[in-house]
């Protein structure tokens, strides 16, 4: 990201890991990542080139844009996993609409409960609301389990000599479940929010 | 190279500051000693411009004469010249986007287009042109105070300003002859001022309730890096709104049409503003407002003020909760809360903010000055004199494009650190298609029509090829000012495409060039010619207005005065056909002066009539 001879930022099509000067490893220490990001920002940010030539200003702008995007991608494990798939020419199925089979039962139950909550009147609202709040807790813990599975998948990638094919399938399964669960939690939150507003 | 100055271009007040041996300092006017410049611009019928206090003096208001009579004075808009306050509420917005309460405050030449224009005399002024007058006044103030050139500045904007509002602010700088080195978000600037001496560290919330806008920003301040985690706000929420609600309360007994009469409304606003300030210390304040033949006397208690202000404060707190959620923090995770903006002096605001975050807010720096001080600190950063300090700000609103079915596809999410960019590939939908239309949007809603249109552009010309074959990579880049830049590249040929981006709102480069040329031209040799045209326009206006008034209110003028006015009008009518500009200007002024008592009586009459009508209605 930085020109060795003059210290100026260089615009390049670096991958997210290279942009932050990090090895291509999936397991990342958030504090180290932030340090790398801050350190590079201090050197290449447009604020450091406000009085430089138009070319240097432009290079600084473009490389900082790349740096911040890389940081954002790597900071969030889910975004990092998706990016990893992208680097290997893979991606989650387009229009990821079908419910992952592992989640199917849970999803249908939650949807039913939300429909009941929407239709609830008078005294029954409170009990149904409490049930949905408890359900939200369950979804949250399912999400935490998935995040742990994701972390384990990352470790296996970094320990190289595993079967990459199985890892790709595992990573895809975890990520699509996370994506689905996120939408579900958002739906639950929206319903609870509507209830509060009403 | 010249120094970079920091400017807080506020809705109510504006300031200019600079770094002085590592300490930010607000520059006061060398003659008056004032630090705040009221963001008020008066444009006289003659085209003369005044700012600040001088402009406020020309605002339409009611005044009590020596003989006890109440009369209406000031420029009442349109052909009489105008006094424009809170121009920031109009910056970068199309006619349809102006808040309902702001639509009737002035006479507009055009409310339908992509830029509103204030009608003043025969001319129309855009909001950036009016703002530029405030910037010029600040520039001159600093130049007189310091004896050095001011041509490079940092200007602050509300964090929640959209792309168009930011662009309009940059345009204002350009029209004022300034290079705007950077736009900085106001709450972030305030955090720089507080963070400079480590008065605030860790997770910091900046609550900024100004005259016209509200912002909340949550930052993480660590080892000189000021990283904004999230920002939220409302560009139509501020002390002005509380004042308006107070005016409504003050004038509730008046008939509707009189409540909105500009002289009456402005006088009431000045009165409630004063009361609001007093009530930060006192528990009760008596407001008196003298109208012709009518005195309104009302007592405002702290409780009543708080009842009126509460809904506005509640709206701001809702925004705070959203910002906390986006930052992934709870109120208790915030280690310091900073208050910015004059409206945060209200005890109610302090109480509510303290409740939300569970700690007393910091306000050791003057809330009116802290943003300007921060702008100066950022100017220092840009000059390279602030060592390791660095600001990492975010884009307040998501940016995306319209896709099939009118859906907004988000490309850059709100609260993404800037500068940032995203590249999207586009192709053709039918064979031999030579252009692709792209509609860029800003906002958080799902449907394109609910988001704000930012720009439209055409990609192309594309070489005729089968559908789906061309690959054009379009890069959307948001720079450190929060402003969008678009570039495109043909992936197959590697050629850069030129893109003609048409902003949906705001001024085009050509329009700004023309405004600049007009301004510069005035300083060239045809100045005399232009002044002659201006003088003739002024003469036409005042003659037309007088004719109309004489026709409509013959009973308000007696024979002798009428004859004197008509004679002066005739002389001016003859003069305006000559080339003698000085004579025309002198006669315009003369007629203006002669007709003032008559205009005053018309005003009185209109107010009394409205009041009588009201009392008749009450009786019946």
């Amino acid at each position: 990201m930085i020109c060795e001879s003059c210290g100026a930022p260089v615009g390049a099509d670096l991958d997210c890991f290279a942009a932050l000067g990090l090895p291509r490893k999936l397991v990342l220490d958030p504090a180290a990542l932030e340090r790398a990001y801050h350190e590079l920002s201090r050197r290449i940010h447009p604020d450091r080139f406000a009085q430089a030539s138009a070319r240097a200003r432009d290079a600084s702008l473009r490389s900082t844009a790349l740096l911040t995007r890389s940081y954002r991608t790597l900071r969030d494990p889910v975004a990092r996993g998706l990016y990893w798939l992208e680097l290997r020419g893979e991606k989650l199925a387009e229009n990821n609409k079908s419910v992952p089979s592992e989640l199917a039962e849970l999803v249908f139950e939650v949807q039913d409960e939300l429909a009941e909550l929407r239709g609830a009147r008078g005294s029954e609202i409170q009990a149904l609301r409490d049930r949905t709040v408890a359900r939200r807790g369950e979804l949250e813990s399912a999400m935490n389990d998935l995040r742990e599975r994701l972390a384990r998948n990352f470790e296996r990638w970094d320990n190289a000599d595993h079967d990459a094919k199985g890892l790709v399938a595992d990573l895809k399964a975890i990520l699509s479940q996370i994506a689905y669960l996120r939408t579900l939690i958002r739906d639950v939150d929206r319903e609870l929010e509507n209830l509060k507003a009403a | 190279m010249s120094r970079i100055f920091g400017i807080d271009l506020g809705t109510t007040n504006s300031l200019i500051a600079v770094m002085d041996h590592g300490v930010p300092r607000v520059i006061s006017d060398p003659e008056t000693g004032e630090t705040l410049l009221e963001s008020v611009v008066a444009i006289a019928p003659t085209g003369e411009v005044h700012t600040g206090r001088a402009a406020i003096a020309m605002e339409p208001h009611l005044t009590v004469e020596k003989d006890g009579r109440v009369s209406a004075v000031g420029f009442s808009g349109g052909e009489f010249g105008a006094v424009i306050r809170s121009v920031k509420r109009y910056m970068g917005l199309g006619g349809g986007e102006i808040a309902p309460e702001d639509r009737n405050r002035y006479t507009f030449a055009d409310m339908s287009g992509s830029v509103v224009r204030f009608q003043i005399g025969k001319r129309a002024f855009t909001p950036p042109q009016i703002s530029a007058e405030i910037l010029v006044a600040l520039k001159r103030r600093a130049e007189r105070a310091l004896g050095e050139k001011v041509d490079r500045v940092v200007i602050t904007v509300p964090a929640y300003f959209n792309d168009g509002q930011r662009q309009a602010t940059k345009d204002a700088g350009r029209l004022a002859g300034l290079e705007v080195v950077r736009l900085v978000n106001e709450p972030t600037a305030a955090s720089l001022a507080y963070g400079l001496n480590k008065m605030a560290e860790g997770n910091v919330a900046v609550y900024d309730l100004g005259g016209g806008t509200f912002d909340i920003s949550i930052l993480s301040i660590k080892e000189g890096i000021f990283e904004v985690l999230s920002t939220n706000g409302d560009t139509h929420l501020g002390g002005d709104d509380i004042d308006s609600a107070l005016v409504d309360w003050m004038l509730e007994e008046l008939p509707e049409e009189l409540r909105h009469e500009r002289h009456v409304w402005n006088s009431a606003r000045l009165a409630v503003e004063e009361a609001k300030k007093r009530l930060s210390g006192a528990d009760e304040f008596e407001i008196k407002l003298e109208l012709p033949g009518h005195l309104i006397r009302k007592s405002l208690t702290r409780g009543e003020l708080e009842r009126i202000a509460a809904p506005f404060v509640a709206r701001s707190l809702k925004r705070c909760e959203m910002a906390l959620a986006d930052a992934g923090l709870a109120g208790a995770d915030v280690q310091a809360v900073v208050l910015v903006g004059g409206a945060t002096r209200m005890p109610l605001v302090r109480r509510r903010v303290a409740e939300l975050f569970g700690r007393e807010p910091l306000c050791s720096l003057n809330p009116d000055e802290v943003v300007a001080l921060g702008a100066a600190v950022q100017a220092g950063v840009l000059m390279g004199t602030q060592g390791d300090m660095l600001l990492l700000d975010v884009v307040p609103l998501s940016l995306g494009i319209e896709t099939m079915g009118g859906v907004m596809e988000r490309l850059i999410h709100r609260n993404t650190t800037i500068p940032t960019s995203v590249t999207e590939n586009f192709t053709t939908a039918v064979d031999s298609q030579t252009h692709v239309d792209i509609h860029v949007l800003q906002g958080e809603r799902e449907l394109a029509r609910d988001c704000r249109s930012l720009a439209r552009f055409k990609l192309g010309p594309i070489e005729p090829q089968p559908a789906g074959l061309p690959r054009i990579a379009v890069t959307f880049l948001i720079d450190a000012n929060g402003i969008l830049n678009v570039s495109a590249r043909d992936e197959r040929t590697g050629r850069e495409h030129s893109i003609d981006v048409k902003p949906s709102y705001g001024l085009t480069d050509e329009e700004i060039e023309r405004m600049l040329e007009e301004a510069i031209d005035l300083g060239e040799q045809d100045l005399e010619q232009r002044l002659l045209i201006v003088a003739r326009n002024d003469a036409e206006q005042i003659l037309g207005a007088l004719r109309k008034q004489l026709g409509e209110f013959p009973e308000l003028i007696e024979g002798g005065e009428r004859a004197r006015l008509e004679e002066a009008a005739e002389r001016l009518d003859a003069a305006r056909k000559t080339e003698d500009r000085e004579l025309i200007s002198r006669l315009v002024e003369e007629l203006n002066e002669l007709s003032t008592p008559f205009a005053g009586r018309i005003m009185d009459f209109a107010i009394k009539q409205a009041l009588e009508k009201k009392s008749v209605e009450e009786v019946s």
Side-chain angles (χ1 to χ4, degrees), chain B residues 450-469:
Chain B
D450 297 327
C451 291
R452 185 176 201 270
S453 174
L454 207 154
R456 289 174 191 276
F457 61 87
K458 250 188 209 321
L459 271 186
I462 304 162
E463 243 176 77
Q465 288 172 67
L469 210 57

Side-chain angles (χ1 to χ4, degrees), chain A residues 34 38 42, chain B residues 201-202 220-227:
Chain A
E34 187 185 67
H38 284 173
R42 277 190 220 271
Chain B
E201 282 241 281
S220 155
I221 305 178
K222 197 157 53 180
E223 290 157 14
I225 300 254
F226 291 65
E227 190 174 355

Side-chain angles (χ1 to χ4, degrees), chain B residues 498-512:
Chain B
S498 70
I499 302 183
D500 183 21
V501 179
K502 287 221 183 324
S504 304
Y505 298 97
L507 302 167
T508 61
D509 270 356
E510 291 75 33
E511 283 174 303
I512 293 171

Side-chain angles (χ1 to χ4, degrees), chain A residues 13 34 37-39 41-43 45-51 57 60-62 64-66 68-69 71-72 75 190 193, chain B residues 1 152 181-182 222-223 225 227 318 378 381-383 387-392 415-421 477 479-480:
Chain A
D13 297 329
E34 187 185 67
Y37 169 57
H38 284 173
E39 171 53 29
S41 292
R42 277 190 220 271
R43 295 168 70 181
H45 193 276
D47 285 3
R48 293 282 180 262
F49 293 87
Q51 319 210 77
R57 285 206 309 269
S60 149
L61 179 59
R62 283 172 202 287
T64 307
L66 174 65
T68 50
R69 190 159 44 85
Y71 174 60
R72 240 185 126 73
R75 189 180 49 178
R190 200 174 287 167
E193 194 64 35
Chain B
M1 251 192 195
R152 297 192 303 155
V181 187
R182 174 80 80 251
K222 197 157 53 180
E223 290 157 14
I225 300 254
E227 190 174 355
K318 178 90 200 141
Q378 177 64 8
V381 170
L382 295 170
M383 287 186 287
D388 253 4
M389 275 179 97
L390 182 68
L391 183 56
L392 301 170
N415 293 323
T416 298
T417 309
I418 50 172
T420 191
S421 68
L477 185 147
D479 67 17

Side-chain angles (χ1 to χ4, degrees), chain B residues 102-121:
Chain B
D102 293 334
R103 302 182 78 87
N104 301 316
R105 232 158 250 177
Y106 306 103
T107 309
F108 291 98
D110 181 11
M111 273 298 248
S112 61
S114 64
V115 182
V116 293
R117 286 184 160 80
F118 299 95
Q119 181 73 48
I120 301 164

